[in-house]
Amino acid sequence: MTVPTAGRRERKKAATRQNIADTALRLFLERGYDEVGIRDVAAEADVAVTTVFSHFTSKEALVFSQDENFEHGLARAVTARPPNEPLIPALRREIHAMVRHCTAESAAPLWRMIDSSPALRQYEESMHLRHAEALAAAIAADLALPAPTTACRTLARFTVDAYALAREADDPAAAVDEIFHMIEAAWTTTAAARP
Amino acid sequence: MTVPTAGRRERKKAATRQNIADTALRLFLERGYDEVGIRDVAAEADVAVTTVFSHFTSKEALVFSQDENFEHGLARAVTARPPNEPLIPALRREIHAMVRHCTAESAAPLWRMIDSSPALRQYEESMHLRHAEALAAAIAADLALPAPTTACRTLARFTVDAYALAREADDPAAAVDEIFHMIEAAWTTTAAARP
DNA sequence: ACCGTAACACTAACGGTTAGCTTAAAAAAT
DNA sequence: ATTTTTTAAGCTAACCGTTAGTGTTACGGT
């Protein structure tokens, strides 16, 4: 076993959380996000309303429960990349993977739901900004800077922009390449790009 | 008179709206955004709660009622710029003006309030995205394109990023210049930049 | 075996938001 | 000038996401 007996309590907690998330996502996809209330989710998952909010900070968070795993994926793409690989290509690879992942056939209904709900779109945007801040910190660390500079923060935001823009483009993969071509040009003109 | 007698009804409506916005902003700054409810605002402005929501789509919109004027300021910076002036410098000028405007001494308490409220920050972000979409359309029109391309949308987003990033920087004006140096490099590498 | 604590339940409420209906004043039509 | 139509604004009552307060149960370390 790779997992060192995570304790029954933690396993039960994880199971409850998973049950809630699965139930919520199923109901949302069946009836539509706005047509399903938190009380419906709680009843169907056979838990109390307060239990839902002890596992998820908001209704929208129920939809993005899986993507929280990728929360630090971008930062890890910087810190854990092959040695000697330049920064920008590493970021481009990661964005490519993320775009491919969320434009997959199986995820289509989910993203259609997200795109049609202003509340969910807004939640996703603010997630992206959090990711950008984490990424800026990782980039600064990679350059051995004491704190993120304006250039680091800018690169981070441009990178998450690439994800958001490519997702909406007709040809997502081509869009990633096109936008990263622009990012590369922007980055190479900064002093931070040269050691 | 330059105003062609806007009709008593419309004048009263505008007055009511202004009254609500002024009262709300005053209460928010006096007691704090979270400590003031919509019912408080309505009572103090001497209107019904439903009247507040017939003028403003949400509580957060009460805070940004003035900035709605600048909603299309960015797009106008493109469409109404001096002839023969290149695109990027025109955008940089506008962002400079916007940053100067919202980092002014008189606006400090307002922005402190906004920065300390997650709800208001999120609302501002989604405003920015709306602005970016409008700007992308204006850029495409300026280039005589039938529809916004990926490059247009990218430039638009980078531009609103410049605003957001510069606002938080130690030296906002310098940050605008630094980021626009990067944007210029990104834009000149795209095919769209050359006629 | 014991106790501390973490997970969950229940009730009730708070605050933003909306629906449905009524009133009254302004604008348009007669 | 009177009638008719429009529309801003009001009131009530609720919906829905979210939180506070308070128990209760069952796991985990000692």
Side-chain angles (χ1 to χ4, degrees):
Chain A
M1 283 305 197
T2 59
V3 176
T5 324
R8 187 175 325 184
R9 192 178 251 165
E10 296 175 38
R11 267 184 290 120
K12 283 201 174 183
K13 179 173 181 176
T16 301
R17 181 192 159 92
Q18 193 66 37
N19 176 34
I20 294 171
D22 292 348
T23 305
L25 211 51
R26 179 168 57 78
L27 291 184
F28 290 159
L29 289 172
E30 280 175 10
R31 308 184 204 160
Y33 181 74
D34 290 326
E35 271 59 55
V36 179
I38 289 287
R39 289 161 179 88
D40 299 329
V41 173
E44 183 82 5
D46 197 30
V47 295
V49 173
T50 48
T51 301
V52 174
F53 283 104
S54 72
H55 285 277
F56 300 94
T57 58
S58 68
K59 185 187 180 186
E60 296 91 57
L62 285 167
V63 173
F64 293 96
S65 62
Q66 323 177 18
D67 298 67
E68 300 287 338
N69 305 342
F70 299 99
E71 165 101 29
H72 301 108
L74 265 175
R76 206 178 48 244
V78 172
T79 59
R81 90 192 104 123
N84 299 331
E85 186 184 17
L87 188 58
I88 305 289
L91 291 172
R92 184 177 56 212
R93 257 196 320 114
E94 180 70 14
I95 296 293
H96 261 302
M98 291 172 65
V99 168
R100 226 181 306 115
H101 184 267
C102 81
T103 57
E105 190 61 32
S106 62
L110 179 66
W111 286 100
R112 202 156 358 159
M113 179 180 90
I114 293 170
D115 287 340
S116 63
S117 163
L120 289 175
R121 292 187 70 103
Q122 206 170 343
Y123 185 85
E124 203 204 350
E125 292 162 21
S126 62
M127 270 183 49
H128 288 174
L129 282 207
R130 284 207 319 272
H131 296 187
E133 284 164 28
L135 178 56
I139 292 172
D142 187 70
L143 300 174
L145 294 172
T149 63
T150 295
C152 294
R153 274 190 272 260
T154 304
L155 174 58
R157 266 185 101 118
F158 285 6
T159 301
V160 306
D161 282 344
Y163 171 74
L165 287 163
R167 247 185 14 83
E168 298 174 348
D170 298 327
D171 183 344
V176 171
D177 286 331
E178 181 179 357
I179 299 169
F180 261 92
H181 190 233
M182 297 172 72
I183 292 178
E184 177 108 55
W187 183 243
T188 51
T189 60
T190 70
R194 278 172 296 281
Chain B
M1 284 308 189
T2 58
V3 177
T5 324
R8 186 173 330 185
R9 192 176 255 167
E10 296 176 40
R11 265 184 291 119
K12 284 201 173 184
K13 181 174 180 174
T16 302
R17 182 190 158 92
Q18 193 67 36
N19 176 34
I20 293 171
D22 292 349
T23 304
L25 211 51
R26 179 168 57 79
L27 291 185
F28 290 159
L29 289 173
E30 279 175 9
R31 307 184 205 162
Y33 180 74
D34 290 326
E35 272 58 56
V36 178
I38 289 287
R39 290 162 179 89
D40 299 330
V41 173
E44 183 81 8
D46 196 30
V47 296
V49 172
T50 48
T51 302
V52 174
F53 283 104
S54 72
H55 284 278
F56 300 93
T57 58
S58 68
K59 185 188 180 185
E60 296 91 61
L62 284 166
V63 173
F64 293 96
S65 62
Q66 324 178 19
D67 298 65
E68 299 287 336
N69 304 342
F70 299 100
E71 166 100 29
H72 302 108
L74 264 175
R76 205 178 49 244
V78 172
T79 58
R81 89 192 106 120
N84 299 332
E85 185 185 20
L87 189 58
I88 305 290
L91 290 173
R92 185 177 56 211
R93 257 197 318 116
E94 180 71 14
I95 296 294
H96 261 302
M98 290 173 66
V99 168
R100 225 181 307 115
H101 184 267
C102 81
T103 57
E105 190 61 33
S106 62
L110 179 65
W111 285 102
R112 210 175 356 232
M113 179 180 90
I114 293 170
D115 286 339
S116 63
S117 164
L120 289 175
R121 291 187 71 103
Q122 204 170 344
Y123 185 84
E124 202 204 351
E125 292 162 20
S126 63
M127 269 183 50
H128 287 174
L129 282 207
R130 286 208 318 274
H131 296 186
E133 286 164 27
L135 177 57
I139 292 171
D142 187 69
L143 300 174
L145 294 172
T149 63
T150 294
C152 295
R153 275 188 273 262
T154 303
L155 175 58
R157 265 185 101 117
F158 285 6
T159 301
V160 305
D161 282 344
Y163 171 74
L165 288 163
R167 243 181 21 80
E168 297 174 349
D170 297 327
D171 184 344
V176 171
D177 286 332
E178 180 179 358
I179 299 169
F180 261 92
H181 191 232
M182 297 173 71
I183 292 177
E184 178 110 53
W187 181 243
T188 51
T189 60
T190 70
R194 278 172 295 281

